[in-house]
Amino acid sequence: MNAATHEIAAVGAHLNEVYPMLPFTPVRGAGVFLEDTSGRRVLDFYGGHAVAALGYGHPDLSATIARQSRDLVFQTNALPLRVRDEAAERLASFGPPGLGRVFFVNSGAEANENALRLAFRVTGRSKVVALENSFHGRTAAAAAVSFGAAKSWYGFPRTPFDVVFVPRNDAAALAADVDSSTAAVIIEPVQGLAGAFDFAPEFLHAIRAACDRHGALMIIDEVQTGMGRLGAPFGAQLHDVRPDLLTVAKGLGGGFPCGAVLMPHSIASTLKAGALGTTFGGGPVACAAIKTVIDVIERDDLCANVRNISAVIRSTCRVGPVESIQGRGFLLGLKTRQKAAAIRDALLARDILVGTSADPHMLRLLPPLVLSKDHVQHLAAVLEDLTDAPL
Ligand SMILES: Cc1ncc(COP(=O)(O)O)c(C=O)c1O
């Protein structure tokens, strides 16, 4: 047994299975490429579930994390930190107008858990309206508003509040289900796990209107869609919709784990000390990373890059097994004739990493925002080569 095999066997023996593992063990990355110990390089169109927003080994992000961990690796929210204030200020101005207060947490599920808590606290109501095929995370409240979780992986004996799931883009069903008992409506502007399902902007505006009519809060879950992935800082800006609460994680720290809830002063000012809490949320390394990720997205105009290169994907990658393309920006679903998992495996065998989704015929692309045209041309050529491959 050589050293690499030994390493894998040791990991396999003690690690709980989370997702089925693919046959590639990266040890480093540069730009949009991952590399294993043998020097094999894989072009990454999946970005670690949309986390590696700036790709791998980004000089600014690596330098920031190294510097901040040398200066001060951690401190509690009980002490003021300048880097935390600055990260909150940068994130609030990067986000849609009106959400000027930030609560930092550690993950997408935790962000949604707290957004839901705030909605119940502010409205004093007991019901949430969510969308069919949605995914909002694995904690008790976030999973309660994730479609189908209760029947499969939820695990808790009951959900902690009432939830109604409405069909996607069905404004009439939405209008019927949002009422005076509704604390919040929660939606991903493009559903990620569902296979990059892009909501009609009118539907997002219908949610805003229904919430306004009944005094409910609109929560926009931008855990996957945020930080430039749709070609705008957030889907809320892209569609000019004004949520009451916005959640973000994944690309927020470019790979350093963190999340956040953005809220208006009107909500933040109702919260007494102790209403929200976290140990690790808002830690200095996370906050330094957040500042740098936003700086780089703005400085290098990565939102424009996402829009331009996304258009190239749409115009060149409908080849080979790909029948159609849906989604937005760098959250794209490639509908495949054969099973998506078989195409993913065939692509990985040809050194290209893509994701799958809840739809067995939908591949998911979530590449780093720094992807360029030549990478897409390579994907298109490899897809075309798969036309006659036995899959
Ligand atoms: C839209 C959305 N919300 C929430 C989550 C949960 O985020 P986390 O895994 O960081 O808890 C995810 C993760 O895939 C997601 O895609």
Side-chain angles (χ1 to χ4, degrees):
M1 194 189 277
N2 66 25
T5 327
H6 177 75
E7 200 177 295
I8 293 168
V11 166
H14 297 287
L15 200 58
N16 249 28
E17 188 174 321
V18 179
Y19 306 118
M21 290 215 204
L22 300 172
F24 174 63
T25 309
V27 290
R28 66 181 70 82
V32 294
F33 287 91
L34 295 166
E35 198 179 309
D36 71 7
T37 46
S38 72
R40 178 185 173 198
R41 272 162 44 99
V42 165
L43 176 54
D44 182 12
F45 274 86
Y46 198 55
H49 300 296
V51 168
L54 305 185
Y56 305 99
H58 194 284
D60 297 61
L61 186 60
S62 309
T64 291
I65 292 174
R67 191 183 53 243
Q68 184 61 55
S69 45
R70 268 196 310 270
D71 286 352
L72 182 68
V73 74
F74 185 70
Q75 253 316 319
T76 155
N77 283 279
L79 293 180
L81 291 184
R82 186 171 172 161
V83 67
R84 188 185 293 131
D85 278 341
E86 288 170 351
E89 192 278 327
R90 292 292 279 127
L91 184 56
S93 5
F94 191 62
L99 304 182
R101 290 286 281 270
V102 177
F103 174 49
F104 286 119
V105 291
N106 305 289
S107 68
E110 196 186 348
N112 285 328
E113 196 85 3
N114 278 285
L116 291 162
R117 168 185 281 122
L118 286 172
F120 290 118
R121 185 179 273 276
V122 166
T123 61
R125 298 175 180 179
S126 58
K127 182 177 95 177
V128 172
V129 174
L131 273 297
E132 289 184 359
N133 304 89
S134 61
F135 180 77
H136 298 289
R138 298 268 175 172
T139 52
V145 293
S146 295
F147 189 64
K151 286 207 185 82
S152 45
W153 50 264
Y154 190 67
F156 298 104
R158 64 191 73 85
T159 57
F161 45 80
D162 303 328
V163 185
V164 176
F165 290 97
V166 297
R168 303 183 293 195
N169 281 337
D170 188 338
L174 174 87
D177 281 317
V178 178
D179 57 26
S180 60
S181 69
T182 308
V185 179
I186 184 166
I187 185 168
E188 307 154 76
V190 177
Q191 286 183 336
L193 185 64
F197 179 88
D198 189 12
F199 280 99
E202 303 75 48
F203 186 67
L204 296 176
H205 289 281
I207 293 177
R208 177 69 273 171
C211 288
D212 286 344
R213 264 197 312 280
H214 296 284
L217 302 191
M218 177 174 183
I219 303 174
I220 193 156
D221 174 350
E222 302 241 22
V223 167
Q224 192 160 144
T225 54
M227 304 308 289
R229 180 153 300 280
L230 301 186
F234 291 96
Q237 283 119 309
L238 187 71
H239 294 311
D240 198 19
V241 65
R242 190 179 44 78
D244 298 293
L245 296 163
L246 181 150
T247 56
V248 55
K250 292 200 186 274
L252 179 62
F256 198 88
C258 51
V261 185
L262 275 62
M263 67 191 85
H265 290 279
S266 57
I267 292 183
S269 62
T270 65
L271 302 172
K272 296 200 177 65
L276 299 173
T278 170
T279 296
F280 287 117
V285 183
C287 287
I290 291 167
K291 278 173 54 188
T292 295
V293 168
I294 296 173
D295 285 348
V296 173
I297 291 175
E298 291 186 338
R299 183 194 69 199
D300 297 347
D301 205 359
L302 292 181
C303 288
N305 189 58
V306 169
R307 292 193 297 274
N308 295 337
I309 304 303
S310 178
V312 179
I313 297 176
R314 281 180 174 278
S315 63
T316 60
C317 291
R318 228 180 63 223
V319 289
V322 180
E323 280 183 333
S324 61
I325 299 180
Q326 65 181 43
R328 261 187 198 259
F330 281 178
L331 173 38
L332 293 172
L334 273 51
K335 186 145 194 77
T336 55
R337 269 178 278 282
Q338 299 91 340
K339 285 268 164 86
I343 312 286
R344 176 203 57 202
D345 295 347
L347 287 172
L348 185 55
R350 291 158 179 80
D351 296 335
I352 295 179
L353 179 62
V354 299
T356 51
S357 70
D359 178 338
H361 286 271
M362 195 72 74
L363 289 175
R364 211 167 12 142
L365 303 188
L366 300 155
L369 311 187
V370 293
L371 189 80
S372 62
K373 198 171 167 182
D374 47 325
H375 304 130
V376 176
Q377 283 165 344
H378 181 61
L379 173 65
V382 173
L383 282 169
E384 189 139 32
D385 274 357
L386 291 182
T387 308
D388 301 319
L391 293 165

